[in-house]
Amino acid sequence: MNRPVGVQFMQGNEACVYAALDAGAKFYGGYPITPSSEIAELSAKFLPQVDGVYLQMEDEIGSIAAIIGASAAGQKSYTATSGPGFSLMQENLGMAVYAEVPLVLINVMRNGPSTGLATRPAQGDVMQARWGTHGDHPIIALSPGSVQECYDLTVRAFNLSEKYRIPVILLGDEVIGHMRESLTIPEADKLEIINRKLPTVPAQGYKPYQTDEDDIPAIPPYGTDYIVHISSSCHDESGYSHSAPQTADKLVQRLHRKIDKNKKDIIQVEWFGPEQADLTIIAYGAISRVAKQAVINAQDKGLSVNLLRLITLWPFADEEVKAALEKAKAILVPELNLGQIVHEVERLNTFGPPVHSLSRIDGEILIPAQIMEKIEEVLK
Amino acid sequence: MALSYKDYLEQSQLPHMWCPGCGDGIILRAYTEALAELNLAPKDVVTVTGIGCWGKADDYLSTQAFHGTHGRALAFATGIKTANPDLTVVTLMGDGDAVTIGGNHFIHAARRNVNLTAIVTNNYNYGMTGGQYSATTPLESKTTTSPNGVAEPGFDVCFLAEAAGANFVARTTVYHAVALKNLIKEGILHPGFSLVEVISPCPTYFGRFNVHPSPVNMMNWLKEKAIPVQKYRELPLEEQHEHFAVGKLVKKDRPDFYTTYRRINGGKKGAEEGDTNGR
Amino acid sequence: MVSEPRKIRIEIDKKSCKRCGICQGLCPQAVYSLAKDGSPEITNPERCTNCRLCDLRCPDFAITLEVLA
């Protein structure tokens, strides 16, 4: 394939595919679903050209299972879906976290619950991304706010997944997925690509889940001299089942530790507008673009408003949100749901400013005027 | 040096957790014996398991292993095999994994004709969770969730695989230990999707409720029920219902998924050769 | 011509054996008998033809057969 370079004009979903290929992805397993299907279609077209495979599975349960298998066999793997499919993927998403198999899951969020409005945007899967699978577990979720970020964050999703051996969710939405705008695709040699680390110990006596201080296991693909035992059941360092209470505790604590201690590397936010403002908007995804316009309109009206844009949704940007809560007189969290991230903000609010929610769940996007109206109401 | 079946067992994990007289150990013995006779290095074999009594098998093996979630072994295995066609991939599933919770993956893996082998242990019930009925439990059998007899007929696992397009379909029992080992070998060697269904006793539950709790009686029951396929086809219908056919039921040479995918789509690796593993 | 009966050494690993009785119950040559506790005992070793069915059918990998020269 001819790799596009420089300024390009395309859809967010298209940008995700070019980014996946640039990150070195060789395997896609998926089930078509609106509004993510362009990712499947372009992957089907391009993957064979880079020696890869597009595999259309029988359902989303099989889709995520296939990419977990392909990743364990050494290929960087990804899938794309939307709400209903994301729900079906939850059990095996947990398996990938537990067994530490890298993968990238692109969820182009649509209106729900259930089949809902298939072609309409929403941000209703934020908590499902965090807590959809059972049991205590860490997760990484990134939220693109532009076509450029669909590209950049897809590359970053693969890098974080490989580095920390954890599934990474690219939590986009129908607006960003289907929007066309310009982006700049860097030269291939300018991209930072991270590959999973390999063991440096001898194959004899190798234990796949034995870790150094970094708490990240070094696991080679199947087929080398190293015997790799991957398990969805509670396992010790050998990968074999082990059900002792201390084994269960040790494993899940380490899974959290490897993410918790690297939050600085994982968490990205963007501040927009004046450094100090009476009201801080906290937003993400498509709505963060609307919020930016609202900040500009507010400034024109002489109102003191800025924006904290969450690029990494999970793990949550506790420190950055605390800084916002400390400085602002009021907080506004606009979302295309009945309030999900707003509760995370409230969780951290020991500082006192009132935290306001602005919701829309009718399948339409919030517009700057609606946010403006809320700003004026709050600052009155 | 010739490999022994013991080279494929993880000795530190034995003895296994299966009940006295459970067929799982006999099938594991046949599987490891087959690998030894095929002289496959443990590092080149990926054993993919699901959940249930038979899903524990990976814990006793020294091959590469993937112990996945319930019912999804074939979906994981499809990804593994397609990502690296040089690997020999064998899935070990029970009747719950293969044709109940995982029935959709089973028919699609057979239809796609992925070059891997499925060894399905059919003991007609869910042993691990206490003997409830599965999608292969025969009509009116008693289980812990059908105390008066199950009101659903069971699947014919081999018929399902054949109808879906599998290249190699065979059935045997743990009584027929030599045939079992040989059919597993043949299944591994045969390109495309291979199914070896193994009828296996669960003396603890299905046997105790429906046949006999004694392992020896269960083995003799398998011997009586099993009829070589040629002879079975000549039986009157009512006798067929009382028995099942054993032996090779299907053997054909439809190209496997990876080979077909590369032929149609190209791609550098294996563009001409496709998946040559197992030939 | 009559061939010498081969001598077969049969070893039962008592630690692995779960006393299911399959070796004794299905041996075509009645090589085994069962002790009171259900453990197999090798009572007629000279009758063994090395068919290996007890070995292959032992669910617990407890039986080893060895042909002695």
Side-chain angles (χ1 to χ4, degrees):
Chain A
M1 64 171 280
N2 275 338
R3 181 181 176 273
V5 159
V7 178
Q8 302 284 328
F9 184 74
M10 64 176 72
Q11 264 190 350
N13 282 350
E14 285 179 77
C16 288
V17 178
Y18 289 113
L21 297 169
D22 282 353
K26 291 277 188 277
F27 193 97
Y28 179 97
Y31 190 90
I33 184 169
T34 304
S36 75
S37 296
E38 295 82 7
I39 298 173
E41 290 166 359
L42 273 187
S43 300
K45 181 177 173 185
F46 290 137
L47 275 168
Q49 298 177 25
V50 297
D51 209 12
V53 172
Y54 167 86
L55 185 59
Q56 192 161 302
M57 291 298 286
E58 46 274 13
D59 57 29
E60 286 88 348
I61 302 173
S63 300
I64 187 165
I67 66 167
I68 290 171
S71 179
Q75 304 284 27
K76 287 188 187 178
S77 304
Y78 65 113
T79 189
T81 190
S82 190
F86 191 47
S87 295
L88 288 179
M89 290 182 182
Q90 289 299 331
E91 184 192 12
N92 284 333
L93 181 63
M95 195 219 146
V97 174
Y98 201 45
E100 300 177 76
V101 181
L103 64 88
V104 172
L105 192 170
I106 303 168
N107 176 11
V108 187
M109 287 187 283
R110 74 188 216 189
N111 178 284
S114 189
T115 308
L117 296 167
T119 61
R120 296 297 185 168
Q123 295 179 315
D125 302 351
V126 173
M127 282 298 162
Q128 195 188 4
R130 180 65 194 88
W131 296 115
T133 194
H134 59 282
D136 288 296
H137 62 280
I139 198 75
I140 297 176
L142 312 177
S143 169
S146 63
V147 172
Q148 181 71 54
E149 273 191 351
C150 282
Y151 179 89
D152 295 343
L153 294 185
T154 300
V155 173
R156 189 168 149 74
F158 276 99
N159 284 345
L160 292 172
S161 180
E162 293 283 316
K163 188 173 180 181
Y164 297 114
R165 293 198 68 101
I166 186 171
V168 176
I169 299 163
L170 189 80
L171 204 56
D173 52 64
E174 190 276 335
V175 173
I176 301 294
H178 281 161
M179 183 172 63
R180 285 175 198 276
E181 64 180 354
S182 60
L183 79 163
T184 304
I185 297 183
E187 297 283 345
D189 58 8
K190 297 274 161 44
L191 278 172
E192 189 202 13
I193 302 297
I194 299 173
N195 297 316
R196 62 193 78 169
K197 68 173 180 175
L198 298 171
T200 50
V201 297
Q204 192 73 30
Y206 165 73
K207 291 181 177 175
Y209 292 96
Q210 196 161 45
T211 57
D212 302 328
E213 286 112 55
D214 67 358
D215 289 313
I216 302 161
I219 307 177
Y222 290 130
T224 72
D225 287 341
Y226 294 85
I227 296 292
V228 176
H229 200 110
I230 292 176
S231 180
S232 69
S233 293
C234 184
H235 46 276
D236 64 12
E237 291 174 338
S238 69
Y240 284 79
S241 299
H242 202 264
S243 54
Q246 59 269 33
T247 306
D249 183 71
K250 193 178 163 192
L251 171 54
V252 176
Q253 298 286 5
R254 178 176 64 73
L255 294 177
H256 282 85
R257 206 163 55 234
K258 77 175 176 180
I259 299 305
D260 286 346
K261 70 187 189 190
N262 289 298
K263 277 187 180 174
K264 275 203 167 63
D265 181 41
I266 298 165
I267 291 171
Q268 285 185 329
V269 300
E270 181 200 0
W271 284 95
F272 180 81
E275 202 170 305
Q276 186 70 45
D278 291 341
L279 184 144
T280 295
I281 302 173
I282 298 176
Y284 53 93
I287 299 308
S288 66
R289 299 169 70 97
V290 183
K292 271 187 186 175
Q293 188 59 51
V295 168
I296 293 164
N297 295 353
Q299 278 171 334
D300 291 346
K301 285 199 175 183
L303 296 170
S304 169
V305 180
N306 64 5
L307 165 71
L308 172 61
R309 183 167 76 91
L310 304 177
I311 300 169
T312 306
L313 282 181
W314 307 115
F316 196 66
D318 282 17
E319 296 313 311
E320 293 76 4
V321 170
K322 277 185 199 165
L325 286 160
E326 198 171 5
K327 285 192 288 185
K329 290 182 187 141
I331 301 285
L332 173 61
V333 186
E335 301 177 83
L336 292 186
N337 56 50
L338 285 179
Q340 297 197 12
I341 284 295
V342 67
H343 298 307
E344 287 295 300
V345 176
E346 283 167 348
R347 172 177 64 82
L348 297 165
N349 191 7
T350 54
F351 303 91
V355 176
H356 300 270
S357 172
L358 178 62
S359 290
R360 186 159 192 181
I361 55 157
D362 61 355
E364 298 292 332
I365 192 163
L366 281 163
I367 58 171
Q370 287 172 306
I371 297 182
M372 193 63 204
E373 195 183 334
K374 188 74 180 180
I375 290 169
E376 287 178 321
E377 180 195 316
V378 169
L379 290 180
K380 194 162 58 185
Chain B
M1 204 185 87
L3 290 161
S4 144
Y5 82 92
K6 288 180 180 165
D7 294 317
Y8 300 86
L9 290 173
E10 181 53 47
Q11 298 294 341
S12 66
Q13 300 282 327
L14 296 172
H16 56 62
M17 49 76 76
W18 295 316
C19 300
C22 171
D24 287 351
I26 305 173
I27 305 168
L28 193 62
R29 172 66 206 267
Y31 172 49
T32 51
E33 189 88 20
L35 293 176
E37 289 187 15
L38 292 171
N39 202 32
L40 289 163
K43 73 179 184 69
D44 296 327
V45 178
V46 187
T47 305
V48 185
T49 60
I51 300 295
C53 294
W54 186 221
K56 292 286 288 178
D58 61 282
D59 268 335
Y60 311 120
L61 288 167
S62 64
T63 66
Q64 310 268 7
F66 189 102
H67 173 64
T69 47
H70 191 31
R72 318 301 166 199
L74 282 170
F76 293 115
T78 297
I80 293 167
K81 180 64 184 175
T82 310
N84 184 356
D86 294 335
L87 297 166
T88 295
V89 179
V90 180
T91 65
L92 310 180
M93 299 174 288
D95 40 295
D97 263 326
V99 298
T100 314
I101 189 170
N104 203 26
H105 308 303
F106 183 80
I107 55 173
H108 287 281
R111 173 184 65 84
R112 226 172 251 128
N113 207 20
V114 186
N115 186 9
L116 51 78
T117 306
I119 302 173
V120 175
T121 294
N122 183 0
N123 64 6
Y124 300 123
N125 73 168
Y126 295 132
M128 181 68 92
T129 46
Q132 300 85 10
Y133 66 87
S134 79
T136 65
T137 307
L139 187 68
E140 298 193 40
S141 301
K142 289 186 170 55
T143 70
T144 52
T145 46
S146 60
N148 303 314
V150 65
E152 310 167 20
F155 266 134
D156 179 324
V157 179
C158 289
F159 189 44
L160 200 58
E162 180 183 359
N167 253 8
F168 180 89
V169 178
R171 183 191 288 118
T172 188
T173 83
V174 296
Y175 177 89
H176 305 84
V178 177
L180 170 59
K181 180 254 298 171
N182 288 334
L183 288 171
I184 292 172
K185 270 171 75 180
E186 197 170 341
I188 291 172
L189 287 175
H190 197 85
F193 185 86
S194 300
L195 166 70
V196 180
E197 182 193 6
V198 191
I199 311 296
S200 180
C202 177
T204 307
Y205 294 114
F206 185 83
R208 178 157 57 96
F209 299 143
N210 297 284
V211 188
H212 201 277
S214 141
V216 175
N217 287 7
M218 286 302 287
M219 292 290 274
N220 284 322
W221 175 74
L222 292 176
K223 180 190 174 189
E224 286 156 24
K225 286 278 176 186
I227 307 285
V229 57
Q230 297 305 336
K231 198 173 155 195
Y232 178 87
R233 284 175 181 152
E234 290 158 14
L235 289 178
L237 217 55
E238 55 273 25
E239 276 203 54
Q240 283 190 349
H241 287 316
E242 292 301 308
H243 296 91
F244 52 79
V246 290
K248 266 173 275 181
L249 308 177
V250 176
K251 197 172 175 181
K252 58 188 180 191
D253 289 315
R254 197 160 63 89
D256 72 274
F257 166 72
Y258 187 81
T259 302
T260 308
Y261 184 84
R262 283 285 173 241
R263 176 177 64 74
I264 293 170
N265 293 288
K268 281 167 286 180
K269 189 161 66 183
E272 288 90 37
E273 291 177 37
D275 180 357
T276 55
N277 184 248
R279 282 182 198 165
Chain C
M1 198 172 100
V2 178
S3 65
E4 278 290 304
R6 287 183 297 177
K7 287 214 166 143
I8 315 294
R9 198 171 75 88
I10 306 169
E11 192 185 317
I12 299 172
D13 174 10
K14 295 276 181 188
K15 285 202 303 289
S16 300
C17 175
K18 290 179 185 158
R19 294 177 285 181
C20 69
I22 287 175
C23 53
Q24 183 271 334
L26 297 178
C27 175
Q29 295 292 324
V31 169
Y32 299 93
S33 62
L34 292 184
K36 267 192 192 146
D37 68 350
S39 295
E41 288 181 340
I42 305 155
T43 40
N44 297 306
E46 73 287 351
R47 300 187 57 167
C48 177
T49 62
N50 195 34
C51 75
R52 290 181 71 224
L53 281 171
C54 58
D55 175 13
L56 291 171
R57 285 179 182 147
C58 173
D60 298 288
F61 321 117
I63 298 174
T64 309
L65 299 177
E66 195 187 343
V67 182
L68 301 174

